[in-house]
Amino acid sequence: MRDYDEITAFLGKWGPAQKLIFLLLTVSVIPNGFSPFSIIFVGDTPEHRCSIPGNLNLSQAWMNRTIPLVPGTQVQYSQCSRYRLDVIRSLSEVFPDPDLLNVSGIEEEPCLDGWDYSQDQYTSTIISEWDLVCDDTWKEPFATSLYFFGMMIGSGGSGIISDRFGRKIVLFGTMAVQILFNLLLTLSPSWEIFCLINFCRGIGEMSNYVTAFVLGSEILQKSIRVAFSTFGIGCLYAVGYMMLSFVAYFVRGWRMLILTLSLISLLYIPLWWFIPESPRWLLSKGRVKEAESIIRLMAKKNGITPPAALFTDDELEHMQNKQAKSVPVIQLIKSRNILVITVISMLIWMIVAIGYFGLSLNVPKLHGNDYLNCFLFGAIEIPGYIASWLILQKCPRRLSHVGILALSGGVLLIMNLIPSNHPISTVLVLIGKLGSTCAFSMIFAYVSELYPTPLRNTGFGVSSMASRAGSIIAPYIVLLGIYQENLPFIVMGVLMVFSAIVVLFLPETFKIPLPDTIDQMQNIKWCPGSQSDSTQTRINRVEMSKEEML
């Protein structure tokens, strides 16, 4: 009995129809590249100091003495306190020249009249508009975490909705959600409303990316799927990431920046008429005529004459019956092997997400130009996706992940030995970002190979939810930098080195058939032991296959 790939093999692997679908789906994820990282510029903190009312009638010399210096420095002024203005005013009446006395002993007070913000880099950010500084510093990472929480909700819900209503409608529906809430975000009258809309925006963000991933994987042939899911989608995501720095360089106000990015997303609406629904999904729903229509249209674009009858009755029945039955989530903890794999997978996904998003959101704290650094962080992802694609083709999964995670964590720990204003520090962070990107891309393929068919979607979904939890934590890892500049790098470095060690306890899956049943998982050697895991696992699966044939 032929499966779907065999039935549609006459289309070829890489004809004009497949190339067009590959291109359009990868292009559709470009907005996903700049949406999660726009907060780098929208939520950046400009240089600021306490505002001093103009009705004090102080001379310029005394105005310059109203803000205390940060202890231990001679040029850095406090951003959260000032000298008591009533005392300053009294002293100014007695001593016209402030150099005649030492003002450092005067009692300090908080910024009771707000703050003055530098506009050298930005005309406005959410920080300067709503004074999210000093005691309210926590509000910016909280708003970012809410966005990632929305992504977590979206990644879980989009799969259920797309299984019920179709891939295409969810793909474009979530595009509309992104555009709508981006536009609403520009109208936010307060920080609280901004947080609410930002959460809703995150729901559409991840749903669009995941649906494009699934749709391409179902339409394209096996030999193209790995390239699509790593090199294709990843590189265009990185293009969106790089575009952000260009747009932000010319648009310095946060509302206008988000509006501009929203207008760019509007350009993708016409793709509705060129991207087809998944024939696999249509067949699973019994919509045979629609599936045949799409397949015949692809054949026409490829210049191929399709068979008179694409499917026999037996083949249609077989494809319907082959659909994997839903398996309760509790199956992930009933088996010891599956439980261990699930726990380790969730841990790795969460740590990799912390490293990836933590490094990305920390761009404003790095030495050098923010816009150039953001561009470089996007550009470094392209070789990361290419490397992951090549590694997945040629190398064992376990040792590859160990090496990449250890390298990323190691260079971040070395950061503590180098002055933050030295250019080599930015180079090391870029290497860490390269490694985290590569690991993030590869973990998709690795996890899908670990689980048996009935649990694959469930296991993948649980692991993905763990990565979203990591992205929620990431802004607070970045916030640790207010206590010690290199502390975020130390925390992320330690976590990534730890995850490299944890990966050693996963089974090898390179060149090993995917497990089809939960029973096959009982024979997997999840901890590196005496005999080669891959060899033993292959022997077990071959023996089981022979028994099934008999």
Side-chain angles (χ1 to χ4, degrees):
M1 185 70 68
R2 301 179 302 166
D3 60 15
Y4 176 84
D5 286 323
E6 292 176 304
I7 292 170
T8 58
F10 69 90
L11 292 173
K13 297 180 179 179
W14 194 230
Q18 289 93 333
K19 291 177 182 177
L20 181 63
I21 292 170
F22 187 103
L23 174 64
L24 295 182
L25 284 176
T26 53
V27 166
S28 74
V29 304
I30 288 179
N32 300 96
F34 49 67
S35 291
F37 304 117
S38 60
I39 195 67
I40 293 172
F41 303 105
V42 168
D44 196 10
T45 304
E47 289 293 327
H48 57 279
R49 58 192 296 182
C50 291
S51 182
I52 307 299
N55 59 4
L56 292 178
N57 296 321
L58 296 176
S59 66
Q60 188 60 47
W62 271 105
M63 286 288 288
N64 294 337
R65 295 297 185 91
T66 55
I67 308 297
L69 290 167
V70 175
T73 69
Q74 296 298 320
V75 295
Q76 186 177 354
Y77 287 93
S78 172
Q79 297 180 327
C80 297
S81 65
R82 66 189 184 187
Y83 291 125
R84 283 185 53 183
L85 295 187
D86 56 340
V87 176
I88 290 291
R89 185 172 184 178
S90 299
L91 289 174
S92 67
E93 294 173 353
V94 179
F95 302 96
D97 185 358
D99 292 332
L100 297 178
L101 74 164
N102 182 10
V103 299
S104 60
I106 299 175
E107 184 180 351
E108 297 179 15
E109 64 183 6
C111 300
L112 301 178
D113 298 291
W115 289 261
D116 293 327
Y117 296 91
S118 169
Q119 292 194 340
D120 292 343
Q121 184 170 349
Y122 306 104
T123 57
S124 70
T125 69
I126 62 171
I127 306 298
S128 62
E129 183 164 334
W130 295 313
D131 290 333
L132 308 183
V133 293
C134 300
D135 291 341
D136 288 332
T137 301
W138 62 272
K139 290 185 176 181
E140 187 277 324
F142 181 79
T144 306
S145 290
L146 276 181
Y147 173 81
F148 288 122
F149 184 64
M151 288 177 63
M152 182 171 69
I153 300 298
S155 64
S158 64
I160 298 172
I161 298 172
S162 66
D163 283 343
R164 182 176 179 84
F165 298 104
R167 318 309 192 201
K168 182 177 177 178
I169 194 170
V170 172
L171 176 66
F172 287 92
T174 51
M175 279 187 188
V177 168
Q178 287 183 49
I179 296 170
L180 173 63
F181 284 105
N182 267 325
L183 294 174
L184 291 176
L185 203 64
T186 64
L187 304 176
S188 301
S190 65
W191 171 77
E192 290 79 8
I193 299 299
F194 178 91
C195 289
L196 176 61
I197 298 175
N198 207 32
F199 165 76
C200 297
R201 186 170 71 113
I203 294 176
E205 152 70 25
M206 192 60 190
S207 305
N208 168 252
Y209 184 91
V210 170
T211 307
F213 177 88
V214 171
L215 183 55
S217 299
E218 290 182 343
I219 294 179
L220 299 171
Q221 295 294 322
K222 289 180 180 179
S223 59
I224 308 299
R225 287 173 199 159
V226 173
F228 169 78
S229 60
T230 54
F231 174 74
I233 278 195
C235 287
L236 270 294
Y237 179 90
V239 168
Y241 196 162
M242 291 186 285
M243 283 177 58
L244 171 64
S245 59
F246 280 106
V247 177
Y249 180 80
F250 293 102
V251 184
R252 300 299 181 98
W254 76 267
R255 293 180 189 271
M256 187 56 67
L257 174 60
I258 292 179
L259 177 61
T260 304
L261 297 175
S262 302
L263 295 178
I264 293 174
S265 299
L266 287 173
L267 299 175
Y268 295 94
I269 293 178
L271 297 183
W272 171 271
W273 288 275
F274 299 95
I275 296 177
E277 179 56 272
S278 165
R280 287 177 184 266
W281 178 81
L282 290 170
L283 289 170
S284 73
K285 296 298 180 181
R287 295 160 63 175
V288 179
K289 289 184 178 180
E290 293 175 65
E292 281 197 17
S293 176
I294 293 172
I295 295 170
R296 291 184 184 279
L297 180 60
M298 291 178 65
K300 182 178 179 180
K301 289 180 179 179
N302 287 349
I304 296 171
T305 302
L310 296 181
F311 312 106
T312 65
D313 292 339
D314 289 341
E315 285 172 340
L316 286 172
E317 183 180 356
H318 174 69
M319 284 187 286
Q320 292 278 4
N321 295 334
K322 193 179 177 182
Q323 300 300 315
K325 298 180 180 179
S326 60
V327 177
V329 178
I330 197 172
Q331 286 288 349
L332 292 176
I333 61 175
K334 278 190 172 182
S335 162
R336 178 174 175 270
N337 283 350
I338 297 177
L339 172 62
V340 171
I341 287 174
T342 301
V343 171
I344 293 176
S345 175
M346 292 176 64
L347 188 61
I348 294 169
W349 274 63
M350 184 171 66
I351 292 175
V352 171
I354 289 174
Y356 177 83
F357 287 103
L359 291 173
S360 300
L361 297 175
N362 200 51
V363 163
K365 309 296 188 299
L366 297 177
H367 172 71
N369 184 280
D370 290 346
Y371 303 98
L372 177 60
N373 286 340
C374 181
F375 176 82
L376 292 175
F377 267 57
I380 200 67
E381 292 202 1
I382 293 179
Y385 291 121
I386 295 174
S388 65
W389 174 44
L390 296 174
I391 291 171
L392 287 171
Q393 301 291 327
K394 303 292 183 181
C395 301
R397 309 297 191 238
R398 184 165 57 200
L399 293 181
S400 299
H401 271 79
V402 170
I404 290 169
L405 291 169
L407 172 65
S408 301
V411 296
L412 295 180
L413 291 175
I414 295 174
M415 286 281 298
N416 198 42
L417 306 176
I418 298 172
S420 60
N421 59 354
H422 197 287
I424 193 66
S425 64
T426 302
V427 174
L428 291 176
V429 177
L430 284 170
I431 295 173
K433 179 65 187 302
L434 173 67
S436 65
T437 299
C438 194
F440 217 155
S441 179
M442 290 171 58
I443 198 68
F444 277 79
Y446 196 3
V447 169
S448 66
E449 295 171 349
L450 288 170
Y451 287 100
T453 301
L455 277 176
R456 190 165 293 122
N457 284 341
T458 304
F460 192 89
V462 169
S463 299
S464 180
M465 295 283 280
S467 76
R468 300 281 73 82
S471 63
I472 292 171
I473 296 170
Y476 293 99
I477 301 294
V478 175
L479 189 62
L480 294 175
I482 66 175
Y483 303 105
Q484 204 278 332
E485 193 172 21
N486 284 330
L487 188 56
F489 300 116
I490 295 173
V491 172
M492 287 186 284
V494 169
L495 287 175
M496 295 188 82
V497 170
F498 171 71
S499 66
I501 297 172
V502 172
V503 171
L504 289 171
F505 294 92
L506 286 174
E508 182 56 72
T509 61
F510 184 54
K511 292 185 178 180
I512 296 176
L514 295 177
D516 291 321
T517 65
I518 294 176
D519 289 339
Q520 286 178 329
M521 293 293 292
Q522 312 309 317
N523 298 300
I524 286 181
K525 301 287 185 179
W526 55 271
C527 181
S530 54
Q531 191 175 2
S532 167
D533 295 348
S534 59
T535 302
Q536 184 59 47
T537 304
R538 188 181 296 109
I539 292 172
N540 289 331
R541 290 181 186 168
V542 168
E543 290 177 350
M544 293 188 71
S545 299
K546 290 180 179 178
E547 291 176 2
E548 292 172 358
M549 292 176 63
L550 294 174

